[in-house]
Amino acid sequence: MSDDWESYPRNRDVSLTWISFDRGLAAEIALVVPTTCVRLSLHVRSPSPNGMPAKAEFDALNRIEDMLVPFVEERGGIYAGRMTARGVRTFLCYAELPERDIRAFCDSVSRDPGYALAVDREHDPTRRGYWDELFPTEDDDSLIQDMKVFEALRSSGDDGTRPRRIDHW
């Protein structure tokens, strides 16, 4: 499977959503055998006013994701991405996961990082979860490219304070 991850913000229903997804999966997702979209959601502990987790919480959320990816992949599934909005982080994957396995995973997450996971499963043979919830629109793609330019400038030592001419084409 792919490992071409990108992140971007999207305004949905007047709230900010941060999305991180595997773009390279777009070329392969039709070949993915599991047709069940599994969403595991949790409430962040101290969301900011715009619903995002505090920096202090990132380590715990990353640990959960680091536990989830091998859990899904060892069972023949794929992890497609995550969304964070309104104080809720949702992990999206495609997998055929037995109920007992999901329960065991949720129990381990509630013990170690201390979060309660809600699970939603739906039959999704056309992969609408990936295309509608994670994959960027044309406007989102433009923002992603702009963010890459800003990051390249920052990486080259540009602090962004010097005015420059911008040609749009």
Side-chain angles (χ1 to χ4, degrees):
M1 288 293 143
S2 170
D3 194 24
D4 182 12
W5 288 83
E6 293 183 345
S7 297
Y8 66 99
R10 176 189 285 170
N11 283 323
R12 286 186 169 171
D13 306 323
V14 300
S15 70
L16 176 65
T17 301
W18 267 98
I19 298 170
S20 182
F21 77 109
D22 185 350
R23 179 182 290 277
L25 191 55
E28 307 166 0
I29 196 149
L31 307 173
V32 171
V33 174
T35 58
T36 301
C37 181
V38 180
R39 291 175 194 82
L40 295 107
S41 301
L42 58 84
H43 288 274
V44 297
R45 292 186 179 128
S46 301
S48 67
N50 66 1
M52 295 298 116
K55 288 186 186 211
E57 197 167 2
F58 283 141
D59 287 342
L61 295 172
N62 288 338
R63 272 196 318 276
I64 293 169
E65 190 170 29
D66 290 345
M67 292 166 59
L68 177 62
V69 172
F71 168 78
V72 169
E73 290 177 350
E74 288 167 4
R75 289 157 182 81
I78 57 160
Y79 176 60
R82 69 176 182 266
M83 300 165 288
T84 307
R86 296 182 180 155
V88 175
R89 171 148 304 171
T90 302
F91 304 97
L92 193 145
C93 58
Y94 284 89
E96 307 300 341
L97 301 172
E99 186 65 34
R100 71 181 180 284
D101 288 0
I102 290 178
R103 221 172 310 116
F105 179 77
C106 291
D107 288 348
S108 70
V109 168
S110 67
R111 272 192 314 273
D112 182 18
Y115 288 90
L117 283 172
V119 180
D120 175 57
R121 292 189 276 190
E122 75 171 302
H123 183 63
D124 185 11
T126 60
R127 313 315 191 270
R128 295 308 334 150
Y130 177 79
W131 294 114
D132 294 346
E133 296 173 49
L134 298 175
F135 203 80
T137 64
E138 229 177 273
D139 287 343
D140 295 331
D141 255 336
S142 181
L143 177 61
I144 290 168
Q145 296 313 313
D146 289 347
M147 289 169 51
K148 286 180 180 180
V149 169
F150 289 133
E151 183 54 37
L153 289 169
R154 260 192 301 278
S155 295
S156 298
D158 189 320
D159 66 3
T161 59
R162 192 184 92 226
R164 60 178 46 86
R165 180 186 162 121
I166 299 174
D167 292 322
H168 296 275
W169 34 278

